[in-house]
Amino acid sequence: MQLLLPEARALDAQDLLHLYDPGEAPGVRAGFVLSTDGAIAQDGSSRPLQSAADEAVFHALRAVSDAVLVGAGTARTEDYGPVRPRPDGQAWRAQRALPEQPPLVLVSRSLDLDPAARCFTGPSVVVTCAAARGGDRFPDVLVAGEDEVDLPEAVRQLRERGLTRLLCEGGPQLLTAMLQAGLVDELCLTHTPRLLGPAPGLLTVPLTRELELQHLVDGGDGVLLARYRIS
Ligand SMILES: NC(=O)c1ccc[n+]([C@@H]2O[C@H](COP(=O)([O-])OP(=O)(O)OC[C@H]3O[C@@H](n4cnc5c(N)ncnc54)[C@H](OP(=O)(O)O)[C@@H]3O)[C@@H](O)[C@H]2O)c1
């Protein structure tokens, strides 16, 4: 892989961890892979859009985060498992006395989640609201809001637990709500060189935000990985 901007240089797995290191400041970044025409899924899954470069950055983003936030829809359709950093990410976390695995934080209004699902075989937190029924089926439940999930309150409570550098892996419904609440600081996008035609995109409602390019990586085979700051 090759960093193209802000300066040109070759990158190895270790460099990727440094490049995506969010530092000490609390914040939320979102990571997505999308086609050139903006599709985030092909036949209902993001897997066909992924590549070796996307996977490398996906794992680096996870390794440098305190927790990984995901909407229940994505956890259900993508059969999410626990977050397991690769060996270089594990070493990175050990050097910084971070827990071996960042917890998976699942956001759900309905709690239509199977406690026996793979995502609950590692550290996990379920974020829901007071009106939801069945929270006692999950090992760790964070209640934020009465009838709907209050995302700013959820982020506040996660920060209180020391989970300050959050990675949001979508999906579009959760990303849109997080953006509407002004909670997202950064977008890390993998641009896969493919046209797909009408398909779900990043956002579920019209919404305008200006993005400032922080860096651009050439992942090979036409894959471009960009990190944007949201102003
Ligand atoms: N290309 C990529 O990088 C990428 C990344 C992620 C997902 N995807 C794709 O996106 C598709 C899924 O899209 P989606 O929009 O349905 O995903 P999603 O946002 O993960 O899931 C929607 C569900 O998550 C919960 N949720 C989201 N926002 C919430 C909020 N503000 N408050 C309470 N609950 C909230 C709700 O769960 P309950 O129904 O349980 O209440 C809601 O029904 C899949 O095809 C997946 O492959 C692609």
Side-chain angles (χ1 to χ4, degrees), residues 178-196:
M178 294 281 290
L179 283 166
Q180 284 174 320
L183 292 170
V184 189
D185 307 293
E186 258 186 38
L187 263 184
C188 295
L189 299 182
T190 299
H191 298 277
T192 300
R194 189 175 308 159
L195 296 175
L196 280 180

Side-chain angles (χ1 to χ4, degrees), residues 33 40 44 71-74 76 78 107-110 169 171-174:
V33 58
I40 54 92
T74 297
R76 287 186 290 254
E78 304 259 353
V107 181
S108 173
R109 164 68 185 80
S110 71
E169 291 185 345
Q173 208 176 302
L174 180 60

Side-chain angles (χ1 to χ4, degrees), residues 3 5-6 19-20 188 212-217 225-228:
L3 183 65
L5 291 169
L19 192 65
Y20 284 95
C188 295
E212 191 189 325
L213 184 65
Q214 300 291 293
H215 74 226
L216 185 65
V217 172
L225 303 110
R227 175 179 174 185
Y228 300 97

Side-chain angles (χ1 to χ4, degrees), residues 31-35 39-47 49-50 54 58 70-78 80 106-113 127-129 148-151 168-178 188 200-202 204:
F32 272 77
V33 58
L34 67 172
S35 70
I40 54 92
Q42 186 169 3
D43 301 326
S45 169
S46 63
R47 243 156 245 162
L49 291 167
Q50 293 163 12
D54 177 59
F58 174 83
V70 69
T74 297
R76 287 186 290 254
T77 41
E78 304 259 353
Y80 252 60
L106 296 117
V107 181
S108 173
R109 164 68 185 80
S110 71
L111 287 185
D112 178 15
L113 289 162
V127 169
T128 192
C129 57
E148 299 297 333
V149 175
D150 179 338
L151 290 171
C168 175
E169 291 185 345
Q173 208 176 302
L174 180 60
L175 174 68
T176 303
M178 294 281 290
C188 295
L202 271 186
T204 56

